[in-house]
Amino acid sequence: MTRLEALRAVYDRLGEGAVVTIMGAVAAELQSIGHRPNFFYLQHAMGLASSVGLGIALSKPSLPVVVFDGDGSLLMNLGGLSTLARYRPANLVHVVFDNESLLSVGGFPTATGTCTRLAEVAAAAGVPRTACATTIDEFVREFSAAQQARELTTLVAKVDAIGPAAFVTDLGLLENRFQFQRYLQGR
Amino acid sequence: MPVSTVNSRLVFDALKANGVRLMSALPETWLVHLIRLADDDPDVTLVRLAKEEEGVGISMGAHFAGVKSAMLMQNHGFLAAINGIVSGAQLYRIPLLMLISDRGTFGERDPWQTEGGAVTEAVLAALRIPTMRLDDPAKVAHRVQQALTLAYSSNKPVALLLTRDLMWEEA
């Protein structure tokens, strides 16, 4: 499964609530499918997308929040995973695209390719629902189940280490940030 | 423990009076009362962190969602959070209020705190983060209010240094 296929497969389920992505390929690919005002792309501050999602989820407990994380980013903020589990916001779905590499910065392999199993790490951190998907069908099924579960879920999707040719888009960082904030103000 | 309960309460009351409803924190000696006050207050959400940089992300999310927040941390926690501050809060223009206990300055008895105290203000200045010291109980409420006013008018991080004079009652 590619990340782009996975994003396309759940795109129609991202119309309501807040969507926060990490930098690089995830941000560029989601924008290539179609930007929406409820999407925020954290283009730096690597590791903190899940923390941003936690801040939104705690502040607006009735708003559904989806975070699209990555293996490299999550490994950079494993402590944040324990914080996420500790406060376990029921309105947060935490998706981790695991391509076993730091693709956006040149393909450096991460520890998930050799030994670290992130779904098990999340479960051991205390995340109440965890799942792992290796096919599109599994991913769509698990994503839908997570959205309906009303319980914090970390869903690890194993994806190919391929991405877009370029990461810079014509959406300005601050344009995205203020548009997203305005969207949330109305919710 | 001679951490000032009276002045901790002053700081907490000032944060609350100015609308702060979410506080993220990592414990340190000078912050124990502040964190307990946040934990005991039903109007305040306390988020206990594993590492301070997470707090920058949490404050970003809270701000987007319309909730005023503050970070409570030691100066070494501030040093540990710098990438998040620069490539999160500064890059995305977030009004981030940081309350930083300024350990390692004159009067410090713990040898392990002394390096951080020597660099904190210089690092804040290098990051162009407006900073004021909270050292006089009479000025706490006013400075907290002014710090938040500047954070929100500039959409940028600001820092208040919690000093030994304010937080520690031992001579």
Side-chain angles (χ1 to χ4, degrees):
Chain A
M1 145 171 71
T2 68
R3 188 182 38 246
L4 185 59
E5 288 167 351
L7 286 168
R8 277 204 186 107
V10 298
Y11 183 78
D12 288 344
R13 298 168 190 270
L14 304 176
E16 296 296 321
V19 177
V20 177
T21 80
I22 58 166
M23 66 184 83
V26 183
E29 287 180 349
L30 185 57
Q31 285 181 55
S32 75
I33 301 168
H35 171 64
R36 288 172 175 159
N38 59 320
F39 296 175
F40 174 68
Y41 316 95
L42 184 63
Q43 295 284 17
H44 212 317
M46 189 166 170
L48 295 188
S50 56
S51 303
V52 173
L54 176 60
I56 296 169
L58 290 175
S59 300
K60 284 196 180 286
S62 60
L63 184 84
V65 181
V66 175
V67 173
F68 288 115
D69 213 336
D71 53 308
S73 289
L74 183 56
L75 288 170
M76 204 174 270
N77 189 15
L78 279 182
L81 188 64
S82 72
T83 307
L84 201 60
R86 186 178 203 167
Y87 295 96
R88 52 178 66 193
N91 51 332
L92 180 60
V93 177
H94 178 219
V95 176
V96 184
F97 288 123
D98 182 2
N99 60 11
E100 303 179 357
S101 78
L102 292 161
L103 182 75
S104 301
V105 289
F108 185 91
T110 67
T112 65
T114 47
C115 54
T116 303
R117 295 182 297 278
L118 289 175
E120 289 172 54
V121 171
V127 174
R129 286 186 85 251
T130 60
C132 195
T134 55
T135 67
I136 284 289
D137 286 348
E138 279 175 358
F139 179 68
V140 172
R141 190 170 64 242
E142 293 294 347
F143 186 84
S144 305
Q147 279 191 316
Q148 286 157 19
R150 299 296 300 162
E151 193 173 38
L152 172 66
T153 302
T154 294
L155 166 57
V156 178
K158 284 283 187 181
V159 293
D160 303 337
I162 54 170
F167 297 123
V168 177
T169 69
D170 64 359
L171 179 66
L173 273 60
L174 292 180
E175 181 184 5
N176 173 223
R177 167 246 188 275
F178 284 106
Q179 183 186 51
F180 180 69
Q181 185 180 12
R182 287 209 177 83
Y183 171 86
L184 290 187
Q185 278 169 358
R187 294 298 180 282
Chain B
M1 193 187 302
V3 180
S4 173
T5 51
V6 173
N7 291 342
S8 297
R9 164 65 73 177
L10 266 183
V11 174
F12 180 79
D13 287 349
L15 290 170
K16 223 188 141 183
N18 284 282
V20 172
R21 290 294 176 268
L22 188 150
M23 300 182 195
S24 66
L26 218 73
E28 95 104 3
T29 310
W30 291 7
L31 298 175
V32 286
H33 299 313
L34 257 173
I35 292 172
R36 182 178 44 76
L37 287 165
D39 202 21
D40 289 347
D41 193 319
D43 297 333
V44 172
T45 301
L46 172 70
V47 183
R48 295 179 187 273
L49 306 171
K51 191 174 181 181
E52 290 82 354
E53 191 181 13
E54 295 168 48
V56 181
I58 290 167
S59 279
M60 289 179 71
H63 177 63
F64 293 154
V67 169
K68 240 181 223 181
S69 70
M71 292 178 68
L72 310 175
M73 59 193 161
Q74 195 190 75
N75 45 359
H76 290 86
F78 160 70
L79 295 173
I82 285 175
N83 181 55
I85 293 166
V86 174
S87 67
Q90 291 186 324
L91 185 66
Y92 281 100
R93 300 298 296 262
I94 305 298
L96 176 70
L97 175 63
M98 299 182 285
L99 282 91
I100 302 168
S101 62
D102 197 16
R103 300 295 306 272
T105 55
F106 281 8
E108 180 66 60
R109 289 176 185 174
D110 294 341
W112 45 87
Q113 302 290 7
T114 53
E115 286 298 318
V119 303
T120 300
E121 287 185 87
V123 173
L124 282 162
L127 297 173
R128 295 170 290 116
I129 295 174
T131 302
M132 284 195 99
R133 304 172 68 77
L134 293 183
D135 44 18
D136 178 0
K139 291 180 180 164
V140 164
H142 185 58
R143 287 199 172 160
V144 167
Q145 181 253 314
Q146 294 215 310
L148 276 163
T149 300
L150 179 63
Y152 275 81
S153 62
S154 63
N155 271 319
K156 286 182 180 178
V158 299
L160 287 169
L161 291 173
L162 301 169
T163 61
R164 182 175 307 275
D165 285 348
L166 187 78
M167 303 305 291
W168 197 250
E169 287 178 334
E170 195 177 45

